[in-house]
Amino acid sequence: NAGVTQTPKFRVLKTGQSMTLLCAQDMNHEYMYWYRQDPGMGLRLIHYSVGEGTTAKGEVPDGYNVSRLKKQNFLLGLESAAPSQTSVYFCASSWSIEGELFFGEGSRLTVL
Amino acid sequence: SQKIEQNSEALNIQEGKTATLTCNYTNYSPAYLQWYRQDPGRGPVFLLLIRENEKEKRKERLKVTFDTTLKQSLFHITASQPADSATYLCASLTGGFKTIFGAGTRLFVKA
C-alpha cells in the first residue's frame, strides 16, 4: 500500500518552461489537494478536487492548472514557470471532507 | 480572510517536560481542528482531530484542547522526548471544502 505518491521528487526548470507534477493515491479517496510550502508561510492550498472530474481553486491558484481525469490521480501543471513558483509541493488526499489528510513526500521545484 | 496562526518562534524544551503549542484562528468558527507532525524533508502526518464541542482530546502522550471563546487550540506533549522534535501544524476546514494550515511551530527537545 503506497499511499500518496508524487513524481518527480526534484525538478529544476528555467523561467517560462512548463511541467506537470503527478500525484497518485491508492486509497480510493474522493478528495485530493495540492499545497505549496514555503519557509515561514506554511502550507498554502493551490487547488483541490472533491471527486473525479472536479477541480476548484484554493488560496493561491494563479499560475497553476490541475486535472482529475481519474479518481486516483491529480495533476498539477505549470504552463510558464516563474521563480516565484520555486517551492516544495505537497499532494494530499482524504476519504471525507473532515477526514485526515494523507500527504505525499513532496516535490521540490526550483525555477531559475 | 480566514486564518490560522501559530507561534513562528521555535520552542526549545528539556526532555521530560511538557511542550505546549498554540493555534489561533480568526474570522471564522471551525467545526474542528486537526494537528499534524512534519519532519524535515517529509510530508505532514496526521496526529489528532478535535471537534468544537469536545473541549479536550487525548492520545497517548498527546493532549489537545479547543477553546471557542478564545478561538484557540492548545497542543500538549507530556514527558517529551528528543524524538518528538519536529514541526507541528494546525489545520482546519474553511468554507468550500478548503483545509488550511498554520505556518507551524518547530519544537526542539533537548536530551
Side-chain angles (χ1 to χ4, degrees), chain A residues 31 33 35 37 40-43 45 48 50 57-59 90 97-101 103-105, chain B residues 32 34 36 38 41-46 49 51 89 93 95-103:
Chain A
Y31 301 85
Y33 312 82
Y35 290 88
Q37 188 171 41
M41 302 289 288
L43 286 160
L45 182 62
Y48 63 100
V50 299
K57 294 180 180 180
E59 303 169 274
F90 286 98
I97 191 58
E98 63 176 44
E100 64 181 276
L101 270 62
F103 282 85
E105 290 300 300
Chain B
Y32 63 84
Q34 297 178 338
Y36 291 78
Q38 186 176 24
R42 308 295 298 274
V45 175
F46 173 80
L49 179 151
R51 302 182 187 282
L89 306 169
L93 184 69
F97 306 110
K98 301 175 187 177
T99 297
I100 64 171
F101 284 78

Side-chain angles (χ1 to χ4, degrees), chain B residues 8 10 13-14 18-19 22-23 32 34 39 41 44 51 61 63 68 71 85-87 93 97 99 101 103 105 107:
Chain B
S8 60
I13 65 168
Q14 201 67 33
T18 296
T22 305
C23 171
Y32 63 84
Q34 297 178 338
D39 292 292
R51 302 182 187 282
R61 293 184 296 110
K63 185 179 84 171
T68 56
K71 294 183 178 293
S85 298
T87 296
L93 184 69
F97 306 110
T99 297
F101 284 78
T105 300
L107 172 66

Side-chain angles (χ1 to χ4, degrees), chain A residues 4-24:
Chain A
V4 177
T5 303
Q6 293 181 229
T7 54
K9 289 184 171 47
F10 301 93
R11 185 75 187 269
V12 179
L13 289 177
K14 294 182 180 179
T15 296
Q17 287 185 319
S18 64
M19 76 158 295
T20 300
L21 296 176
L22 171 63
C23 176

Side-chain angles (χ1 to χ4, degrees), chain B residues 9-36:
Chain B
E9 291 185 16
L11 179 62
N12 292 282
I13 65 168
Q14 201 67 33
E15 182 177 10
K17 301 294 185 182
T18 296
T20 298
L21 288 67
T22 305
C23 171
N24 297 293
Y25 55 92
T26 56
N27 298 326
Y28 75 116
S29 298
Y32 63 84
L33 289 166
Q34 297 178 338
W35 284 88
Y36 291 78

Side-chain angles (χ1 to χ4, degrees), chain B residues 61-78:
Chain B
R61 293 184 296 110
L62 308 180
K63 185 179 84 171
V64 176
T65 63
F66 196 162
D67 189 325
T68 56
T69 301
L70 295 178
K71 294 183 178 293
Q72 182 179 83
S73 174
L74 297 179
F75 178 83
H76 307 271
I77 305 175
T78 59

